[in-house]
Amino acid sequence: MRMISITLKQTSISTSVYTRKQLLCSLCYNHKRTYHSTPALLNKDETPPPPIEEKENADTPQPEAPKVSKRIRRPKYKLWLVNEGKNFTNIYDKPNYLGGSIPFPMNPLFKPQPPLNDRTKEEIWLKFTQEGQIPRKIGIDYGISLKRVEAILKLKKLEKDMVGKGITLQQNLCEKIEKMLGARSFCVEPLTDTLPNVGKPNFETVDENRDFSEKDAAKLLRRPTLAKIREKESKEEFFSLDENSTKDKQMITLVGRDERETNQRFQFKFKTIGKDQNVILRDRDGSLYKIKKELIR
Amino acid sequence: MRKPKDSFSRGLIRMSWSKKNLFIIHQRGDRLPRSQNRTLFQQKWQAKKDTRAYHGAQLNEQQFRRLFEPKLPTSNIKDQKEEKHPSVSVLTYASLERRLDFIVFRSCFASSIWAARQIIIHGKVNVNGKKVSVPSHLAKDGDIISINPLAVPYLTEPMTPKGLTFKPIPYMQPFLFIPEYLEVNFNTCSTVFLRNPISRPGRSEIPSPFPPGIHSLAHEYYVERIKKKKGKRTRRLVPVEENFRID
């Protein structure tokens, strides 16, 4: 606070020297009344004050005229830079945001997620190349999305290629900046990001007396009702499940054989319709079979 | 004469690491622009002025209007298990984040958006191995953007076996963060653009000094004025419901 008093003392001497016009101009510009401007404004004398003496005109000695020092511009800013602002110039081992954990005090919804550190990325690279793990498993283990896994692997490949060509990597930068970003060894991200492709809401005017059921809604949306879709799905499921069990067992018994009834192409099946359902099969080599179905239900 | 970019009297927050900009953010603090005794138009204008000073300050209005998307993605989340998403208007300026100069700045390789522009124009940036000197180049999902390490502002000459010397710029630390839609590798000074920024529960992916309310107002301002006509091809696009037809 001592610093402030010194500066203001200096300026208070020079107030009378400033022209009223200049002060008004500065006020319009700043929308703020500063300490040193008020006395001159309150002074309602119309006599024009003497003009400003430049610092450079020190050649002509005028001991009576006060020595002019230029007023300190933006004192608040300069003070802040020295006091609180210094914290943003010397702490380089952890993230250091204006609002503590958030960089913009007006927007608390933007909370930057720290990135992955280089050590973890190397691990991911090794897991993919040496162990042959799939990106999906890597994504689940480290909590990163599939797209990010892909990107990490691409960038690591680029890195290895550069090392192969003999280009030096910026490891200094990597180490120092990861400290400042607060990089960690895991992320909290869903594996895939999908925004549902939802259309605009449909609006329909309906009479007050009328009821609006899901059937009417389905008609408007030009699609079958949800109940029907679900039914169809369940039917498909039903069929796939009973593939193995609902096939009726067949009992084939040889009845006779006729050498003359051979046929190279066809098998003949004779089916009786009615109460006693029999199926008789004449095979290609002339043998006759009786087929009986055992119903399992 | 035009006032400088980091003029205190204007009090605009910019995409820059300068200490004046840091002070302006500190000065504005958590006070929202005043909405009392302000008409709706005045509020929208103020919101547009503030947000555009940060998002796309290097763009003309004409250039911005070409990139602006009036339709925001609708997120239909019925489950109460997830934390509530912030208003979709946080994605108002999402289409700008694909630009090359934005990617270079967001990956912390430039000290301001104008510096990022210059780095690109001077040819220090490669996209998928090829030089691209157009700052308005829009990256596709999965593109690798690499920058020449000598062009990075905090890397200076004495070359060591571990790369160039790291000389931190004063007051740069409060601006060091990497958004979730970028993956940066500092060893090679390269980034991969992962995907479009999307809506997330409880947080906003796009770094912005302004809360979603301000973005909503700015979005409303632009939506009233930009009416992107649907081209012949898009008009013939089948609506979502048609794909579900089971006849």
Side-chain angles (χ1 to χ4, degrees), chain A residues 91 94 107 148 154 175, chain B residues 142 162 173 180 183 208:
Chain A
I91 303 170
K94 52 179 177 163
N107 186 14
R148 194 174 285 267
K154 263 199 246 183
E175 286 168 6
Chain B
K162 273 191 164 189
Q173 230 205 330
E180 288 169 60
E183 175 59 42
S208 176

Side-chain angles (χ1 to χ4, degrees), chain A residues 74 80 91 94 96-97 106-107 109 118 121 148 154 159 168 170-172 175 180 193 198 221, chain B residues 8 26 74 142 154 159-160 162 164 173 176 180 183-185 187 195 200 204 208-210 241:
Chain A
R74 307 194 190 104
W80 182 82
I91 303 170
K94 52 179 177 163
N96 193 6
Y97 298 127
M106 228 195 285
N107 186 14
L109 280 171
D118 194 46
K121 291 184 198 176
R148 194 174 285 267
K154 263 199 246 183
E159 199 186 297
T168 47
Q170 307 298 325
Q171 279 166 340
N172 271 327
E175 286 168 6
M180 292 210 262
D193 315 301
V198 181
L221 290 170
Chain B
F8 285 126
H26 167 81
T74 45
Y154 38 79
M159 187 75 155
T160 65
K162 273 191 164 189
L164 291 166
Q173 230 205 330
L176 283 182
E180 288 169 60
E183 175 59 42
V184 189
N185 182 328
N187 282 326
R195 49 170 171 78
R200 285 268 188 228
S204 140
S208 176
F210 301 103
E241 301 84 56

Side-chain angles (χ1 to χ4, degrees), chain A residues 60-72:
Chain A
T60 52
Q62 286 174 345
E64 288 165 8
K67 233 192 177 176
V68 181
S69 58
K70 291 183 177 164
R71 87 184 147 99
I72 306 292

Side-chain angles (χ1 to χ4, degrees), chain B residues 32-35 39-51 68 87 89-90 92-93 211-225:
Chain B
L32 293 171
R34 62 183 174 122
S35 50
T39 63
L40 191 60
F41 174 79
Q42 284 171 332
Q43 289 178 41
K44 285 185 199 171
W45 178 266
Q46 184 67 38
K48 167 250 190 205
K49 179 182 163 192
D50 285 330
T51 50
F68 178 74
S87 163
S89 55
V90 290
T92 311
Y93 296 102
I214 306 293
H215 283 276
S216 305
L217 287 167
H219 179 81
E220 274 177 48
Y221 173 86
Y222 278 117
V223 155
E224 285 167 13
R225 280 154 188 80

